[in-house]
Amino acid sequence: MSHVDVLDNYSGHTDPGGPAARRELDALTITKLSVGPMDNNAFLLVCRATGEALLLDAANDAERLADLIGSGATRPELRTLVTSHRHADHWQALGAVAGMFQPHLIAHPIDAPELPIPMDELVEHGDVIRFGQIELEVIHLRGHTQGSIALLYRGSDHPHLFSADSLFPGGPGRTWSEPDFWSLVADLEARVFDVLPDDTWVYPGHGDDTTLGKERPSIPDWKARGWVDES
């Protein structure tokens, strides 16, 4: 099994194939690891009170993800695995990780049928996912795919939003039609920017982190630019 180093000086940046980065909050630790050829971010969230864990997006490199979780009596107990959306770069290791740890599998009902294995639970906008003493709110963001979800943790410091491929530094995630673009922008405004503060930390599905405060001033520019066909 490969070895994964973990850095404790969390900046929101990780390198493909490089060390993971861990952030310690009062009740939760967040560990970010870049996996696979598309610099996918996988996030391991561990409840500090119970040691129960949730993995968001078993995107690739199942052995590295298993090594990140660890082994022996002190490793966290992976109870839950959430897949943010149906695109294949976000679930290449899903079957292998599910086989190794037998977690409870969760996705949105629209995208779940296109995942490689059946889900145990389907979640909608406004649902709450619990592991240990941690609660994550489900935010359905329609556009990148119709079943894309983000997860929100309301930390004691500030909110933490795991946006997957719906929001990145610089704007919304990729869409494949003009209606999908405007759907995503509308959901981001109504379900994210209109209800969460500027200090909300954003953990996207690829690349570096950002905050809502950094992105909010650019919303008029996103609208003025409109949909761009990237095919």
Side-chain angles (χ1 to χ4, degrees):
M1 183 176 293
S2 59
H3 177 70
V4 175
D5 292 322
V6 179
L7 306 178
D8 290 321
N9 55 335
Y10 192 88
S11 67
H13 174 80
T14 52
D15 292 310
R22 177 170 297 145
R23 181 177 213 169
E24 294 198 2
L25 308 179
D26 287 346
L28 178 71
T29 65
I30 300 169
T31 307
K32 176 180 179 178
L33 180 67
S34 173
V35 295
M38 297 182 68
D39 187 19
N40 283 78
N41 294 326
F43 295 96
L44 180 67
L45 282 56
V46 181
C47 172
R48 299 184 69 176
T50 67
E52 294 183 14
L54 176 148
L55 181 66
L56 174 60
D57 284 348
N60 213 313
D61 297 340
E63 288 192 358
R64 294 189 76 218
L65 292 173
D67 188 60
L68 179 68
I69 295 165
S71 60
T74 60
R75 80 175 185 190
E77 182 182 2
L78 184 63
R79 298 291 299 274
T80 308
L81 199 167
V82 179
T83 301
S84 64
H85 64 288
R86 63 178 173 80
H87 287 158
D89 61 305
H90 288 260
W91 51 255
Q92 289 299 302
L94 176 58
V97 173
M100 284 186 277
F101 296 96
Q102 302 297 311
H104 188 69
L105 304 178
I106 299 176
H108 191 276
I110 295 176
D111 279 13
E114 298 191 47
L115 300 180
I117 56 177
M119 296 293 101
D120 299 307
E121 181 181 355
L122 304 176
V123 291
E124 302 273 6
H125 179 71
D127 287 345
V128 175
I129 296 171
R130 296 177 176 87
F131 63 102
Q133 298 178 7
I134 303 300
E135 294 187 347
L136 303 176
E137 300 171 30
V138 176
I139 302 175
H140 185 199
L141 298 171
R142 299 158 289 191
H144 181 68
T145 69
Q146 290 305 302
S148 290
I149 56 173
L151 301 180
L152 175 66
Y153 173 65
R154 296 186 184 271
S156 60
D157 52 350
H158 50 73
H160 297 259
L161 178 69
F162 299 87
S163 62
D165 285 5
S166 292
L167 179 64
F168 291 100
R174 183 179 179 184
T175 52
W176 282 263
S177 72
E178 187 168 0
D180 284 345
F181 171 80
W182 290 112
S183 174
L184 180 53
V185 169
D187 276 356
L188 285 170
E189 283 198 287
R191 298 179 174 185
V192 175
F193 286 97
D194 287 354
V195 295
L196 296 173
D198 282 350
D199 64 356
T200 301
W201 193 278
V202 179
Y203 306 80
H206 303 262
D208 291 351
D209 298 355
T210 186
T211 66
L212 292 189
K214 290 179 181 177
E215 305 307 320
R216 192 184 304 274
S218 300
I219 294 175
D221 295 334
W222 307 345
K223 292 180 176 180
R225 182 174 67 240
W227 177 64
V228 177
D229 186 353
E230 301 179 41
S231 60

